[in-house]
Amino acid sequence: MGVLDASKSLDEELYSRQLYVLGLPAMQRLREGRILLSGLQGLGAEVAKNLVLMGVGSLTLHDPHPTGWSDLAAQFFLSEHNLGRSRAEAAQELVAELNRAVQVRVHTGDITEDLLQDFQVVVLTASSLEEQLEVGSLCRKHGVCFLVADTRGLVGQLFCDFGEEFAVQDLTEEEPLTAAVQHISQGSPGIVTLREDAHSFRDGDLVTFSGIEGMAELNGCAPRPICAREDGTLEIGDTTGFSPYLRGGAVTEVKRPTTVRHEPLCAALLQPRVVAQSPQDVRRARCLHQAFRALHEFQRLSGRPPQPWDPADAERVVGLARALKPLRGTNGEPLEEPLDEALVRTVALSSAGVLSPMAAILGAVAAQEVLKAASRKFLPLDQWLYLDALDCLPDDEELLPKPEDCKSRCCRYDGQIAVFGADFQEKLSRQHYLLVGAGAIGCELLKGFALMGLGLRCKGSVAVADMDHVARSNLSRQFLFRPQDIGRPKAEVAAEAARRLNSDLQVTPLTSPLDSSTEDIYGDNFFSRVDGVAAALDSFKARHYVAARCTRYLKPLLEAGTQGTRGSASVFVPHVTEGYRGPTSEAAAAEDAVHPVCSMRHFPSTAEHTLQWARDEFEGLFRQSAEIINCHQQELTSLADREPQQLLLLWAAVGVLNQRPQTWQDCVEWAFGHWKLCFRYSIEQLLRHHPPDEVLEDGTCFWSRPRQCPQPLEFDASQDTHLLYVLAAANLYARMHGLPGSRDQPALREMLQLLTLPDPQQLDPIAPRDLASTELDPGQMERLCEALQDWRVGSPLEPLRFEKDDDSNFHMDFVTTAASLRAQNYGIPPANRIQSKRIVGQLIPAIATTTAAVAGLVGLELYKVVGGPRPLGAFRHSYLHLAENYFSRYVPRAPVTQQFHHLTWTCWDRLKVTAGQPERTLKSLLDHLQEQHGLRVKMLLQGNTVVYSAGWPPEKQAQYLSLRVTEWVKQKTGWVPEPWRRVLVLEMSCEGEKDDTTFPPLHYEL
């Protein structure tokens, strides 16, 4: 039903961020997906969690094996209480709790051919090669998409077989291209002129049309190929027989389906197509492919996996890999690639372990491939992916774990101890970490910390800082939250949930923001107790602040972010890597770009213009006007004593509100009148000032690109958008005045039929909102006094604060319908409700899979940071794009070194000077810098205040140089040293410096 009901059957609030990634058609296909997941160790748990959060139709769990100690290192649905119980049965209820809209079942029998036919997608984890081949063959036979996922210590494997011909409906997450039409010629070919010359259409693209007036034959036409011309116009084929074009409309790209062809597992084993970013990565992936085959063979022959760090078992795996038949290339030719025996040996030595970061990464990618299979959105993997995190191990062989250090302790960390040893596990438990942000990524990181055993009670700690509260839209990505948590502080809920995952975790919630206003909380003492910081923040401003604190206190920073199916994870280590830089200022400014007021008000050309206009309408009508009237009620002075600006605001507010309503019908009459004012009378007035045929002095038409000549609308209660605008506006007006509203659309339609057409002069009796003068004349003052009589008595008005996420409050209803009607005025393709919420709320598209993947990548770098001093080459920044199967891990840059005379430094260095007892004077500080470092200081700053300048007159220098440093800074800036502050930070410039020299900060230690 119109713009409001495009996704009525879908829980839009719950899946809002995911809808921006997938789009409605793919989301609906996903909700019909029937998935079988076999294997509920850590990897299977990650796949299950992501699928249920994303909202598949049904998920059947299969794993009859009993829960063991090693499972608990990565399986967050299980605990010590489940030891010995079937993994699938023990996990079912907690999996289902994530999303009650998903049917979660357990299959306790064998996987049979009849069973497989009930599913669209089958996923095997922790399975034998024999089972993979058997189930893969049956899935291929019945057209069921088939996936294999497995992790062995620090390496992982994923395989996809979607059949001989798998149709992908949409390869990318970008919305179809769309553009407003200025004109379409009759001819062969017909030429489409767009309102904007710049566009992204390319030769061969398929398009269709909507909203065309005149040449209506194009509306909803079958996809037409285009030819993009150099002048920005588009050729669309023969339009000779069509009606003449009149106005409006949009051209929209129709995405072409793509067919993907996969090989069955039996063939792909010997002729693997691997996803990798370079020839070197391809060769390494093929070697890992052989290592996995050898591990399967070892298991088949020995009935067990290799023992942790057992040299004999590892050599046997290397021998089995050496004995394998060589792989074949894309054309079937034998590949003459030498086996990297050292790589296979390292894989075998560490293969007995189960690690939560590895499970998180591979489980996210596997779930994304399931999504692709069920929704037919995005390009499937072709066909093997290998995840290699062996860089987490020390380079020095002497530092590698010993077999006795990696034996089972019958504890929840056995899976991790099998890779890194018990000493490393103890080191993890003693860490003190700060996690900033308990949103989607923050929840995943905290889950990882609990599973890894970071910061345990009586040894270490984890502090979680987040000032936000749980909202319903969080539940599809932030898996530590449940419906009963809505409205509670995220930090508190996340901390409680993490303690349920691991009762030994020492986690403390902090609900104060981490910014410059809370440095008394997060100050010198706080950071002196912190070993490292993990940041999961959604604004660059917040990221820069946290990074600056880490630089000041020399703390490693682990940071991650996502946008749709794109994600990144970064690590910043003092004195080893570069510092956090973030986007350029130009990019940051572009995020906050505003639309020109003139374009929004009179000459909109995009849906974004109409939405910003509608958003401003909401603010002016339902918040600002109420606040102005309330201020007037509280004022004790008469109108004559008010400032001119106050009077102008009152004048405008009364013009908006008209008169105080007493009934629901009064509110409806106001809303109906405002509809007429905005979408009919104001357009007619604009056209009187600028007629459709107006010509400028230079001979060009006033209404030429990008301006579109508007058309007044006629109210029609039978059109949903018209009716719903009045319904929303009337309810908001009633709420503002403390009156009951109504949702009865049939009754509203009847009421509107009985209302008389408002006189344009009665709609805004005071004045138009554009005020030309700077003060009111006596006649206007008298009229204002009369109009304000309605608000002298009665309760204050309720200013309405815009809230996009409450679908019952009419806020988004008003903005969406107002923008759609405005778009109709100007022949602009309107945004639907989902698009409107994203644009108005400036929401970042998000999905559970990307979130889990980047959190896992952060976990890998955490291993290295905690493990001790590591060289630059050990660390990895990561970037992935799950929609396009792009995965990159690369070494960070080294910190940039600056030099001044004999002094060299990076962003991690600082000059330290102790205050001493008694405290040194300003002159003593300057002398110390010159004597110890050869620096003749020209200027010292504390914040933005100059506390010393060599250019001061001699008498001023004599007056202040003898003062103690803190005494002088206090006099100059008003700064008072707080009890917790240990350091006064000063910036300096020196004689002889170059323009690009930035000296290290001066840390004056109190």
Side-chain angles (χ1 to χ4, degrees):
M1 189 170 67
V3 293
L4 297 184
D5 292 341
S7 58
K8 189 173 183 180
S9 62
L10 185 70
D11 192 335
E12 178 191 323
E13 184 180 2
L14 178 64
Y15 297 112
S16 59
R17 308 299 193 274
Q18 184 171 301
L19 274 167
Y20 306 142
V21 181
L22 299 182
L24 187 57
M27 187 68 209
Q28 289 172 334
R29 289 192 291 269
L30 180 66
R31 292 178 68 207
E32 297 170 358
R34 304 181 311 281
I35 318 300
L36 172 63
L37 171 62
S38 179
L40 260 294
Q41 292 180 299
L43 176 57
E46 288 285 350
V47 176
K49 178 250 305 176
N50 293 326
L51 293 178
V52 172
L53 288 175
M54 292 190 296
V56 297
S58 68
L59 176 65
T60 299
L61 306 176
H62 173 261
D63 192 334
H65 297 95
T67 301
W69 279 112
S70 63
D71 296 328
L72 305 186
Q75 224 292 19
F76 43 87
F77 293 123
L78 303 176
S79 68
E80 292 87 343
H81 304 295
N82 302 124
L83 291 171
R85 189 182 174 198
S86 156
R87 295 185 193 123
E89 293 178 347
Q92 179 186 11
E93 178 54 30
L94 288 178
V95 174
E97 193 180 80
L98 294 176
N99 187 347
R100 293 297 182 184
V102 178
Q103 296 180 355
V104 179
R105 308 183 181 97
V106 169
H107 175 69
T108 57
D110 295 333
I111 297 178
T112 64
E113 184 170 359
D114 289 341
L115 175 71
L116 294 173
Q117 295 178 61
D118 292 334
F119 300 98
Q120 288 177 280
V121 189
V122 171
V123 185
L124 299 185
T125 72
S127 55
S128 68
L129 181 58
E130 292 75 23
E131 182 184 20
Q132 294 170 12
L133 288 166
E134 179 183 357
V135 174
S137 176
L138 292 173
C139 287
R140 185 83 173 190
K141 176 181 175 181
H142 294 287
V144 177
C145 295
F146 175 63
L147 290 88
V148 172
D150 197 6
T151 62
R152 303 292 182 99
L154 286 162
V155 293
Q157 173 193 68
L158 179 62
F159 169 76
C160 296
D161 174 14
F162 291 0
E164 290 185 56
E165 292 189 349
F166 180 80
V168 182
Q169 300 298 324
D170 186 355
L171 289 175
T172 70
E173 61 191 293
E174 281 72 31
E175 291 281 334
L177 299 173
T178 187
V181 174
Q182 182 76 19
H183 184 263
I184 305 175
S185 68
Q186 289 175 297
S188 182
I191 304 299
V192 178
T193 304
L194 305 177
R195 290 196 196 172
E196 303 285 348
D197 287 330
H199 62 77
S200 299
F201 289 104
R202 295 179 298 179
D203 285 352
D205 283 350
L206 298 177
V207 301
T208 189
F209 294 84
S210 61
I212 302 291
E213 295 183 26
M215 197 176 285
E217 295 90 343
L218 286 174
N219 289 329
C221 67
R224 286 174 162 251
I226 62 167
C227 177
R229 301 177 9 149
E230 290 185 2
D231 62 0
T233 60
L234 308 175
E235 296 180 4
I236 60 166
D238 191 357
T239 59
T240 308
F242 292 171
S243 307
Y245 173 84
L246 294 179
R247 68 183 296 270
V251 56
T252 303
E253 175 193 17
V254 178
K255 295 196 175 184
R256 296 175 183 268
T258 300
T259 299
V260 171
R261 293 174 174 82
H262 281 166
E263 296 296 326
L265 178 60
C266 57
L269 270 175
L270 298 177
Q271 194 171 341
R273 303 200 300 251
V274 297
V275 173
Q277 309 309 320
S278 70
Q280 180 182 353
D281 291 341
V282 170
R283 288 191 294 271
R284 189 172 176 91
R286 287 180 181 144
C287 187
L288 291 174
H289 183 83
Q290 296 294 70
F292 269 86
R293 292 179 66 196
L295 288 171
H296 279 298
E297 184 66 7
F298 183 99
Q299 177 93 28
R300 187 184 69 82
L301 295 173
S302 305
R304 63 172 177 83
Q307 293 298 309
W309 294 94
D310 185 307
D313 281 358
E315 288 306 320
R316 191 174 172 201
V317 172
V318 172
L320 291 171
R322 199 184 296 126
L324 292 171
K325 291 182 179 180
L327 300 175
R328 297 196 299 269
T330 54
N331 298 318
E333 73 283 4
L335 293 174
E336 301 298 333
E337 294 177 349
L339 181 70
D340 186 340
E341 295 188 3
L343 175 59
V344 176
R345 185 175 296 107
T346 304
V347 169
L349 288 168
S350 58
S351 64
V354 178
L355 302 175
S356 64
M358 293 295 294
I361 300 165
L362 203 70
V365 181
Q368 186 74 30
E369 295 307 303
V370 173
L371 178 150
K372 294 176 183 179
S375 68
R376 297 185 179 267
K377 173 97 172 176
F378 307 137
L379 182 66
L381 207 63
D382 187 30
Q383 288 184 257
W384 294 93
L385 175 70
Y386 283 92
L387 175 61
D388 175 6
L390 293 170
D391 45 77
C392 292
L393 295 173
D395 292 329
D396 187 347
E397 290 188 7
E398 294 297 320
L399 299 177
L400 292 174
K402 303 297 187 289
E404 59 273 13
D405 194 36
C406 299
K407 291 181 178 178
S408 171
R409 266 68 173 172
C410 291
C411 73
R412 66 178 302 121
Y413 311 112
D414 275 357
Q416 194 163 257
I417 289 172
V419 177
F420 296 110
D423 291 344
F424 180 79
Q425 188 61 49
E426 179 67 16
K427 189 177 290 188
L428 275 172
S429 71
R430 295 184 180 278
Q431 294 295 300
H432 296 270
Y433 257 73
L434 170 64
L435 170 60
V436 189
I441 299 175
C443 282
E444 288 287 340
L445 288 173
L446 191 55
K447 176 257 293 177
F449 294 168
L451 295 173
M452 295 163 70
L454 181 80
L456 299 187
R457 189 174 295 147
C458 301
K459 298 179 179 180
S461 65
V462 175
V464 185
D466 196 311
M467 62 179 292
D468 202 2
H469 293 71
V470 179
R472 191 160 186 272
S473 61
N474 302 146
L475 302 184
S476 68
R477 294 164 294 115
Q478 301 173 14
F479 90 106
L480 295 183
F481 304 153
R482 301 293 181 269
Q484 63 267 25
D485 299 321
I486 292 173
R488 294 187 59 202
K490 286 183 176 180
E492 292 180 5
V493 177
E496 292 171 6
R499 280 192 289 266
R500 288 194 294 271
L501 295 179
N502 184 350
S503 59
D504 290 332
L505 185 69
Q506 180 65 45
V507 56
T508 303
L510 302 171
T511 56
S512 299
L514 181 59
D515 57 29
S516 58
S517 69
T518 56
E519 292 185 0
D520 58 326
I521 300 173
Y522 307 103
D524 296 350
N525 291 336
F526 179 90
F527 276 96
S528 69
R529 300 189 297 268
V530 168
D531 294 310
V533 177
L537 297 162
D538 57 5
S539 83
F540 290 119
K541 180 180 179 181
R543 291 179 185 181
H544 275 288
Y545 179 80
V546 171
R549 302 300 279 173
C550 290
T551 302
R552 171 172 173 170
Y553 294 108
L554 297 179
K555 303 299 179 182
L557 171 64
L558 301 157
E559 189 266 343
T562 69
Q563 181 170 4
T565 64
R566 295 174 173 88
S568 64
S570 304
V571 56
F572 304 96
V573 182
H575 304 297
V576 178
T577 73
E578 63 182 348
Y580 176 81
R581 295 185 300 169
T584 62
S585 57
E586 291 80 3
E591 289 187 348
D592 301 321
V594 295
H595 301 291
V597 173
C598 187
S599 293
M600 289 189 301
R601 182 170 297 174
H602 297 309
F603 312 118
S605 59
T606 67
E608 286 79 5
H609 288 162
T610 66
L611 282 163
Q612 187 60 56
W613 173 86
R615 182 71 177 79
D616 291 346
E617 277 281 290
F618 181 97
E619 289 295 306
L621 294 174
F622 306 118
R623 184 180 69 81
Q624 293 171 357
S625 59
E627 290 174 344
I628 292 167
I629 293 297
N630 289 344
C631 287
H632 165 69
Q633 287 180 319
Q634 296 167 5
E635 282 282 355
L636 300 178
T637 57
S638 66
L639 285 180
D641 297 326
R642 305 279 181 88
E643 294 291 331
Q645 186 62 34
Q646 288 181 297
L647 295 175
L648 291 173
L649 291 173
L650 270 173
W651 177 266
V654 171
V656 165
L657 298 178
N658 206 335
Q659 60 185 12
R660 190 163 197 151
Q662 304 299 319
T663 65
W664 166 244
Q665 181 168 331
D666 291 343
C667 296
V668 172
E669 289 180 359
W670 176 87
F672 183 44
H674 205 74
W675 190 103
K676 295 285 187 180
L677 180 65
C678 289
F679 309 113
R680 180 177 173 183
Y681 298 141
S682 65
I683 300 298
E684 291 175 344
Q685 184 181 33
L686 178 62
L687 292 175
R688 283 195 291 272
H689 283 90
H690 300 287
D693 57 356
E694 180 178 354
V695 177
L696 300 175
E697 292 182 0
D698 62 1
T700 61
C701 293
F702 178 84
W703 293 108
S704 58
R705 289 195 305 168
R707 297 192 192 106
Q708 174 72 19
C709 184
Q711 297 290 323
L713 302 182
E714 289 290 340
F715 185 81
D716 183 353
S718 66
Q719 291 194 33
D720 292 331
T721 308
H722 295 213
L723 181 72
L724 292 170
Y725 173 90
V726 175
L727 180 71
N731 272 282
L732 293 171
Y733 198 63
R735 174 68 182 270
M736 189 170 68
H737 288 89
L739 297 173
S742 171
R743 297 179 180 274
D744 191 336
Q745 294 186 33
L748 176 62
R749 189 173 278 111
E750 291 181 11
M751 186 184 296
L752 289 169
Q753 291 173 350
L754 299 175
L755 292 180
T756 56
L757 188 68
D759 185 327
Q761 300 302 318
Q762 297 174 351
L763 295 177
D764 202 353
I766 298 294
R769 268 165 274 150
D770 294 336
L771 297 171
S773 63
T774 57
E775 59 183 42
L776 304 183
D777 61 36
Q780 291 171 324
M781 284 286 291
E782 182 178 350
R783 293 171 60 198
L784 179 59
C785 287
E786 294 174 0
L788 286 172
Q789 293 299 323
D790 272 349
W791 284 277
R792 287 193 181 278
V793 293
S795 59
L797 304 185
E798 180 186 351
L800 303 184
R801 308 287 176 181
F802 183 75
E803 173 50 61
K804 66 184 182 303
D805 289 325
D806 183 353
D807 287 340
S808 67
N809 64 11
F810 289 103
H811 293 196
M812 277 306 304
D813 296 340
F814 176 83
V815 170
T816 303
T817 52
S820 181
L821 291 164
R822 185 75 166 173
Q824 289 181 38
N825 279 137
Y826 285 86
I828 297 170
N832 61 33
R833 183 187 178 88
I834 296 172
Q835 294 167 332
S836 298
K837 184 179 284 191
R838 177 179 60 81
I839 294 168
V840 170
Q842 296 181 329
L843 302 179
I844 298 174
I847 193 166
T849 48
T850 320
T851 298
V854 298
L857 289 165
V858 166
L860 295 180
E861 300 310 304
L862 178 63
Y863 284 143
K864 303 170 188 177
V865 171
V866 172
R870 300 289 296 273
L872 177 67
F875 295 100
R876 298 290 185 273
H877 288 336
S878 300
Y879 174 79
L880 54 84
H881 189 186
L882 296 180
E884 299 183 4
N885 305 318
Y886 183 86
F887 308 91
S888 175
R889 298 179 70 229
Y890 54 96
V891 176
R893 295 176 181 173
V896 175
T897 300
Q898 294 195 66
Q899 184 170 1
F900 181 76
H901 300 327
H902 66 284
L903 197 65
T904 60
W905 68 92
T906 73
C907 64
W908 299 106
D909 291 307
R910 65 282 324 278
L911 293 176
K912 294 182 180 181
V913 179
T914 57
Q917 290 293 336
E919 185 191 349
R920 67 173 72 242
T921 63
L922 180 58
K923 182 178 186 304
S924 170
L925 173 63
L926 298 174
D927 291 344
H928 176 86
L929 292 172
Q930 182 171 352
E931 293 167 4
Q932 296 297 317
H933 302 290
L935 300 176
R936 296 178 61 86
V937 176
K938 290 195 305 182
M939 188 177 293
L940 281 177
L941 296 96
Q942 198 258 334
N944 294 321
T945 303
V946 177
V947 296
Y948 169 76
S949 173
W952 284 349
E955 59 273 15
K956 186 174 182 179
Q957 293 203 28
Q959 180 181 356
Y960 296 125
L961 287 175
S962 61
L963 295 177
R964 308 295 179 193
V965 173
T966 55
E967 179 184 358
W968 168 231
V969 172
K970 181 178 179 180
Q971 286 186 27
K972 186 69 175 175
T973 68
W975 172 78
V976 177
E978 300 89 344
W980 51 266
R981 190 177 294 278
R982 301 180 181 182
V983 173
L984 171 63
V985 180
L986 301 171
E987 304 293 331
M988 62 183 180
S989 63
C990 301
E991 292 181 7
E993 69 180 65
K994 298 179 180 179
D995 291 340
D996 60 349
T997 302
T998 302
F999 283 99
L1002 173 61
H1003 279 210
Y1004 185 69
E1005 298 178 340
L1006 305 177

